[in-house]
């Protein structure tokens, strides 16, 4: 079957996180010449399919087959791919069964490779990702099977196909700040310590604060206030405390400890010491190494994309998180490239057939040219 036909088959699996609905089993049967490693836990199916051609480097294509719920507003059955005017509609068409179809086809039809070629699939990326790719990587490390290079076929392109390669991702740090005062009657404000007044001194200094200047890959890390709660819904009661929630999409230049110290510094400057601050890391920021082999890897993929799409891709770290963050922690050189992300998670999610064909051609050429450039 063609890459487009393969995508239609993948869309038909109702693989809502973490249920693969048989999609991983189908992938294993499709790559029938590959060895198989399973790592399943708590209802999550993870599969690693590999084929050793030679003793050279190990290149892995990684992705997820789980999708978010379809929701309302579809013009067709979200789990029965509809092809219309060169566009395929269906849940997961772009995020990211389109990318999976492309690399499955490329891997199956690889006649030769300079080392080991593999595919890593998970059914838990759109969920908590606690037992997905991160769990499989632990097993691969135990087996001494970790890849050297990886492509995650997430939908990275923005305006046109070929315009963006993700070379890293921003992290996500969440915070909850509770400022405590002394509650009382609004008629006697002198007998209370109003935490809202205290917050009014702090808020202008932390809201939308730029924590670093960014660089060529990362935009500046900014503290974004997302919620404020306090009071009892009464006009005549001064509350005892007020709570602020915030999020920082951080670059590698700003850590969770930097964020914590920044908040504490502002509070100290305003002589506020009765507070509680909780910081949690949702995901870590990362960037591909700047060594020679990483630059060669990026250059190879970039040149192939330019040849196939006519677009010179930019290096980016924008957007949310992906499983590439887990892969990068093992020192694996990981890049992300896939179709456009315009309709991901939306009703009538779709992808152009031409994008699938071009993406497949890029992955096939990457496999073929790897030994010549890396």
């Amino acid at each position: 079957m063609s890459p487009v036909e393969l995508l239609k088959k993948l869309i038909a699996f109702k693989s809502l996180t973490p249920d693969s609905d048989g999609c991983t089993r189908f992938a294993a049967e499709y790559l029938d010449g590959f060895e198989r490693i399973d790592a399943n836990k708590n209802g999550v199916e993870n599969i690693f399919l590999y084929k050793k051609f030679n003793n050279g480097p190990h290149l892995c294509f990684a992705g997820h087959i789980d999708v978010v719920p379809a929701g309302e507003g579809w013009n067709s059955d979200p789990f029965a791919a509809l092809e219309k005017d060169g566009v395929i509609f269906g849940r997961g068409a772009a995020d990211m069964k389109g990318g999976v179809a492309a690399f499955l086809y490329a891997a199956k039809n690889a006649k030769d490779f300079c080392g080991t070629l593999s595919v890593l699939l998970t059914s838990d990326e759109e969920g908590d990702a606690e037992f997905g790719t991160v769990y499989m990587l632990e097993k691969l490390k135990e087996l001494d099977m970790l890849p050297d290079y990886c492509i995650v076929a997430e939908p990275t392109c923005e305006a046109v196909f070929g315009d963006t390669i993700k070379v890293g991702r921003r992290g996500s740090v969440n915070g909850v700040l509770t400022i405590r005062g002394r509650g009382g009657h609004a008629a006697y404000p002198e007998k209370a310590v109003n935490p809202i007044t205290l917050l009014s001194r702090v808020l202008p200094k932390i809201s939308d604060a730029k924590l670093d200047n960014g660089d060529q890959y990362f935009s500046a890390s900014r503290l974004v206030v997302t919620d404020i709660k306090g009071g009892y819904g009464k006009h005549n009661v001064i509350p005892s405390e007020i709570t602020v929630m915030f999020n920082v999409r951080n670059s590698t230049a700003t850590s969770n400890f930097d964020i914590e110290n920044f908040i504490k510094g502002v509070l100290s400057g305003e002589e506020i010491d009765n507070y509680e601050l909780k910081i949690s890391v949702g995901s870590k920021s990362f960037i591909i190494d700047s060594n020679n082999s990483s630059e060669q890897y990026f250059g190879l993929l970039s040149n192939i994309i330019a040849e196939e799409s006519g677009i010179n891709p930019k290096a980016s770290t924008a957007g949310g998180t992906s499983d590439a963050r887990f892969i990068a922690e093992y020192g694996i050189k990981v890049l992300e490239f896939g179709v456009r992300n315009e309709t991901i998670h939306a009703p009538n999610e779709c992808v152009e057939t031409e994008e699938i064909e071009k993406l497949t051609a890029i992955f096939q050429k990457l496999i073929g040219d790897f030994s010549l450039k890396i």
Side-chain angles (χ1 to χ4, degrees), residues 7 10 61-67 91-103 120-121 125-126 151-155 322-323 337-339 344 349 359:
L7 172 56
L10 294 176
F61 291 91
H64 63 90
I65 50 84
D66 60 315
V67 296
R91 177 53 86 217
D95 189 13
M96 61 168 286
K97 290 181 176 179
V100 171
F103 67 60
L120 191 163
L121 294 173
E125 194 273 348
E126 298 290 6
I151 290 281
V152 180
E154 286 279 3
S322 78
D323 279 357
F337 180 73
V339 299
I344 61 175
E349 180 181 351
L359 182 61

Side-chain angles (χ1 to χ4, degrees), residues 167-171 212 214-221 249-256 258 284-288 317:
V167 297
R169 292 274 186 162
R170 296 177 299 174
D212 58 52
D215 57 28
Q216 65 183 110
Y217 299 118
F218 290 97
S219 57
S221 303
R249 297 301 169 113
N250 62 308
S251 74
T252 53
T254 295
S255 70
N256 54 309
D258 296 326
K284 296 180 181 178
S285 58
F286 72 92
I287 189 76
I288 192 169
T317 60

